[in-house]
Amino acid sequence: MLSPPDLAERLGLSEDTLADWRCQKRGPAYYAVGRKIWYPKDRVAQWFESKLKETKDDGNKDTQREVA
């Protein structure tokens, strides 16, 4: 389990951003136990993986340009 400060640090975000996401029903799944918030590590990993953006080109191709 990760606390909001732990998760914010790992993601390079502020705790306020995580709080905003919770209010907007965005971001990783979490448990609310009383006034405490806990993020399960496996659900954070799933959420993070879902944010992966695939690209068509990995940038390692040699491209040749036609010269007129």
Side-chain angles (χ1 to χ4, degrees):
M1 300 292 256
L2 296 168
S3 67
D6 293 335
L7 183 57
E9 183 177 335
R10 288 178 185 223
L11 295 178
L13 302 170
S14 71
E15 290 180 57
D16 290 339
T17 297
L18 293 176
D20 287 343
W21 285 358
R22 288 192 303 271
C23 288
Q24 298 168 12
K25 307 261 191 266
R26 297 175 51 198
Y30 63 92
Y31 290 109
V33 182
R35 298 182 79 189
K36 291 284 192 180
I37 301 295
W38 296 104
Y39 293 92
K41 288 181 182 180
D42 62 330
R43 298 299 290 271
V44 170
Q46 289 172 357
W47 171 81
F48 192 72
E49 191 65 29
S50 76
K51 298 300 173 197
L52 180 64
K53 304 289 185 198
E54 295 290 343
T55 60
K56 293 180 183 178
D57 182 7
D58 65 4
N60 292 321
K61 282 192 216 173
D62 290 331
T63 58
Q64 294 192 2
R65 296 165 41 189
E66 286 187 32
V67 178

